[in-house]
Amino acid sequence: MDFNEQLRRFCERVGDRRAVALILTGSGQTDTAALLLAALQPQRVAFLLTPETHNFPERVTQQIELSPDPNWLREEVHYTDIKQVYRALRAIIEKWSDLPREQILVDLTAGTKVMSVGLAKAAYVLDLGTIYIESDYEQNRPKPGTQRLIDPPDPYEVFGDLEAEEAARAFNTHDYLRAEQIYADLARRAPEPDRATYAALRQLADSYIKWEAFDLKAAAQTLQSLLSKPLPAKLAHHHNVLQAQQTALAHLVQTISAMTQSARALATLKDLDAVLPLLGSLHANALRREAQRRFDTAALLRYRCMELMSQHRLATYDVLAEEPDLDTLKQRIPDLDQRYRQVEQSLGFQGRGLQPNRNGAYNPITLLNGYMLLAALNDPLVQRVEPIEIRNRSHVRNRSILAHGFRQITEAEYCDFVEVVEELLNQFFAIGQRSRNDWEALYRFVTV
């Protein structure tokens, strides 16, 4: 059968399909490349050639009565060097950088084994399209006229479950960035209905990434977008939790906005419902870092929890820790200054009392000073934890390389510090008459 008849039959099988960009490999026979060029009519063409096949494009075009296009790309490689194949492919992709990767097709039919293996591996990594021409065989030779175009199935159709298991492992060990990357890849490459599931999981991982980074507005928007459509079966049983988390995030965004406005800051800090979402975000984040044995980061987050609890309790006395008005408070409690001096002395400090600075204003209240003031006020938050314990245990945070120190916190030091924070949390929820268990469940990220 002559080549023109083979081409006619091949074009019938290909139909109206066309290619945007096609990468071909040089070989000793030109039929495959000629069929692809004539049937697919690619807008851009590139050849991977060896010194022995340098004239391959001319021989191919001669077979289909065309002239070589001067815009065709030619990259020469050694047929046994797979790294040269990779470099040549990279050069082609860089020159075609304006094209989406999926519009670039790589022909795996011809070329040396090294070329075929290299191109197949690279196409998988780079998300390029792959094709090859399949034929019937007769006496161990391709039967002319039986050529047909094949799109090899993406390995994700078979191995996607393995990648999904790795993504789930990353997600459930709080490596949301790694999980998001894998789910994004699966969402592009896996077939339906899995594609929609992976897209939803990617979106959830993305919202948790943003939440952990305290990019709260973006986290709330991403989670709201996820919940705006039906959840896939894998997430459907988490719907109520995710909806509650989105509501909490939206509330937290409002709280952060209010705290930037001095006129609203004190009233916001005084509102327990406004404080709990931020406290929950900090505490849950600390628990995740603790699970990863990142004790320095966990200690910083726990320290901020302690500080926020004291700031809320001080706000109930109309004291804004950032800009405290202690004169009014001392007028209401005439012996407050003396009480505070007694607390100072119990910690071994010189009794200076609650005095303004040289400018006549009061300095912002630090964590330890806040708990000392609460002790002077006989606040229930410090009924079971003495300020000296807070000072001694919180030194672990100060020794951290992430704070003022030059070394990592040991696990034993961290656990010693956590005991105080946990006692304060229990007392905090007892005062507020709220369920700590329900609060922790709300801010615990779901597993998949």
Side-chain angles (χ1 to χ4, degrees), residues 325-340:
D325 176 12
L326 298 182
D327 288 336
T328 302
L329 185 62
K330 287 192 292 184
Q331 289 173 5
R332 294 206 313 264
I333 309 174
D335 64 340
L336 181 61
D337 189 79
Q338 182 60 34
R339 291 190 205 173
Y340 189 81

Side-chain angles (χ1 to χ4, degrees), residues 1 3-18 35 39-40 133-136 143-151:
M1 182 182 298
F3 179 77
N4 287 334
E5 178 59 19
Q6 295 179 51
L7 177 58
R8 185 189 67 78
R9 295 188 182 187
F10 184 72
C11 287
E12 284 184 352
R13 296 188 180 100
V14 169
D16 296 331
R17 180 172 178 179
R18 297 292 181 265
L35 289 173
L40 298 181
I133 291 181
E134 183 181 70
S135 305
D136 293 338
K143 185 176 180 181
T146 63
Q147 297 98 327
R148 50 197 176 270
L149 186 63
I150 301 296
D151 292 275

Side-chain angles (χ1 to χ4, degrees), residues 27 30 49-61 74:
S27 68
T30 59
L49 307 170
T50 65
E52 294 77 14
T53 61
H54 67 91
N55 65 342
F56 182 74
E58 285 72 24
R59 292 191 290 115
V60 170
T61 53
R74 304 181 188 218

Side-chain angles (χ1 to χ4, degrees), residues 171-172 200-201 204 208 223 226-227 231-246 441-442 444-448:
F171 191 103
N172 294 334
L201 289 166
L204 178 58
Y208 281 173
L223 195 52
L226 172 64
L227 293 167
L231 293 176
K234 195 171 183 65
L235 289 178
H237 63 290
H238 291 309
H239 182 273
N240 290 343
V241 173
L242 294 175
Q243 187 63 63
Q245 288 182 345
Q246 200 283 326
L442 174 59
R444 186 183 303 123
F445 287 178
V446 303
T447 57
V448 297

Side-chain angles (χ1 to χ4, degrees), residues 364-379:
I365 298 175
T366 64
L367 180 140
L368 181 58
N369 289 340
Y371 279 100
M372 290 167 63
L373 180 54
L374 289 173
L377 289 164
N378 295 320
D379 187 82

Side-chain angles (χ1 to χ4, degrees), residues 20-80:
V20 175
L22 179 63
I23 299 175
L24 299 163
T25 54
S27 68
Q29 61 87 20
T30 59
D31 286 2
T32 295
L35 289 173
L36 291 172
L37 282 177
L40 298 181
Q41 300 176 26
Q43 301 170 24
R44 304 185 193 185
V45 178
F47 290 91
L48 288 181
L49 307 170
T50 65
E52 294 77 14
T53 61
H54 67 91
N55 65 342
F56 182 74
E58 285 72 24
R59 292 191 290 115
V60 170
T61 53
Q62 185 177 5
Q63 186 169 357
I64 52 178
E65 299 179 354
L66 288 176
S67 298
D69 190 325
N71 292 318
W72 286 353
L73 304 179
R74 304 181 188 218
E75 295 289 336
E76 190 169 302
V77 301
H78 193 278
Y79 69 94
T80 63

